[in-house]
Amino acid sequence: MIALAGKDWYERERAVALVQTLTTATASELTLRNQAPFLASALAEAECGITIADPNLPDMPLIYVNAAFTRMTGYSKAEALGRNCRFLQGHLRDQPGVQKIRNALERGVDCTTVVTNIRRDGEPFENRVKLRPIRTDDGTLSHIIGIQLDVTAERSALESLDLQKRRYESLIEAEKSYIWRMNAAGEVQNVSDSWLALAGLPSMPQPPDLAAIRGALTQKAAEAFRRGWAEALTNLQPFEVIYQLPAQSESPRWFLDRITPVLD
Ligand SMILES: Cc1cc2nc3c(=O)[nH]c(=O)nc-3n(C[C@H](O)[C@H](O)[C@H](O)COP(=O)(O)O)c2cc1C
């Protein structure tokens, strides 16, 4: 028995819609459990969030959420069912990922994107959402399945890697003496203008002209670099080369270079 109380029609209509959704949700879960018990327990025990929304009910409410979804978001089944899943966005509504979902749902196609969501305790997290529309044999849209994965740790690791890369690049930019950057094949990718100036070479587009750089070194120094680099790629140990620059100058300066292989 369900009693409905409300001050005005709007509230009553909302209450009716909610009861309708929850009835559908309970019925869907019971049908799933009765007709496909293995599938029901696979969905329930999956490590990632699994949600099902009904596109034929007003505002496309959730009619199924599994245990991983409730763990990830902090919202219980009772709190999540009957609501459009946008409640996870809180005030963060203006996101490219949300726009991508909106477009995909309008066109009735699959989509995968990352959105910033907010757990029940207020903590934001990065949620990789995958949506797939399900159609009946005659092509009518019947359900939308959502798969959610918390990728916060993955994202912050990528961000710190990106930060390191940018720091390293700005170090090359700002370094008063010089830093060379070479790839794993031993090809020079980047040489600072200050090194080129010391070598008596004009600044050049990157990656630089290798023949011009070799020309500024003695043959012995060029060979020492080549050999050292080949060994460093095998044993991943730094190496040093002492050489003169510019090689052709009457009064060259002595240099000590330390070359360190850096792993990604
Ligand atoms: C099954 C399903 C699961 C969804 N899961 C999420 C989710 O985990 N996080 C989220 O931000 N949006 C999720 N959405 C998207 C929102 O419910 C909503 O469609 C989106 O915010 C765009 O619509 P709107 O502009 O009406 O908000 C899901 C949608 C469906 C159909």
Side-chain angles (χ1 to χ4, degrees):
M1 159 82 93
I2 298 164
L4 295 177
K7 283 194 287 297
D8 53 34
W9 275 110
Y10 174 71
E11 266 186 41
R12 278 183 212 174
E13 269 171 29
R14 269 178 54 85
V16 171
L18 183 63
V19 170
Q20 187 190 0
T21 308
L22 292 177
T23 315
T24 315
T26 317
S28 319
E29 204 165 341
L30 282 177
T31 314
L32 189 67
R33 267 196 230 150
N34 289 338
Q35 292 185 355
F38 294 119
L39 185 61
S41 70
L43 293 184
E45 284 163 33
E47 297 279 322
C48 54
I50 298 180
T51 46
I52 303 177
D54 188 338
N56 299 309
L57 287 174
D59 204 28
M60 212 183 285
L62 293 174
I63 60 164
Y64 175 86
V65 299
N66 72 347
F69 178 88
T70 65
R71 280 198 300 274
M72 182 168 107
T73 62
Y75 288 95
S76 68
K77 271 190 183 194
E79 287 168 320
L81 291 178
R83 297 167 82 178
N84 182 296
C85 208
R86 78 171 74 81
F87 72 90
L88 289 178
Q89 295 154 15
H91 59 286
L92 305 173
R93 296 278 292 138
D94 188 15
Q95 300 184 45
V98 173
Q99 188 56 47
K100 194 171 166 190
I101 293 180
R102 215 170 272 144
N103 294 343
L105 288 177
E106 263 169 32
R107 290 169 37 227
V109 295
D110 282 20
C111 96
T112 302
T113 189
V114 176
V115 283
T116 304
N117 280 172
I118 301 170
R119 296 188 225 276
R120 193 178 192 281
D121 64 6
E123 186 197 18
F125 70 104
E126 297 302 302
N127 186 0
R128 195 174 75 208
V129 182
K130 186 179 179 127
L131 297 182
R132 164 155 298 182
I134 305 294
R135 295 177 188 278
T136 54
D137 290 344
D138 65 1
T140 315
L141 195 60
S142 66
H143 296 91
I144 315 271
I145 297 193
I147 298 177
Q148 286 89 355
L149 195 64
D150 184 344
V151 292
T152 314
E154 201 177 286
R155 281 252 151 165
S156 69
L158 278 178
E159 270 164 24
S160 82
L161 206 64
D162 191 48
L163 188 70
Q164 271 181 32
K165 189 170 156 246
R166 275 187 278 125
R167 275 204 195 122
Y168 176 59
E169 278 168 0
S170 69
L171 186 66
I172 290 181
E173 206 58 43
E175 175 60 54
K176 291 221 170 42
S177 51
Y178 56 88
I179 289 183
W180 287 26
R181 193 157 60 86
M182 298 164 88
N183 65 13
E187 291 153 353
V188 180
Q189 300 293 294
N190 190 298
V191 176
S192 71
D193 281 353
S194 42
W195 188 90
L196 292 171
L198 284 174
L201 294 169
S203 63
M204 51 182 79
Q206 307 290 341
D209 175 4
L210 217 53
I213 289 180
R214 271 204 211 99
L217 302 169
T218 60
Q219 227 179 345
K220 213 171 132 207
E223 176 56 21
F225 274 112
R226 204 197 53 72
R227 206 172 342 100
W229 188 242
E231 274 170 30
L233 287 178
T234 319
N235 59 24
L236 300 178
Q237 295 299 315
F239 68 97
E240 290 179 351
V241 179
I242 298 173
Y243 63 103
Q244 288 178 303
L245 208 63
Q248 300 82 357
S249 160
E250 304 237 311
S251 50
R253 289 160 72 182
W254 283 97
F255 288 87
L256 166 69
D257 274 16
R258 184 176 169 81
I259 289 93
T260 309
V262 179
L263 293 179
D264 279 343

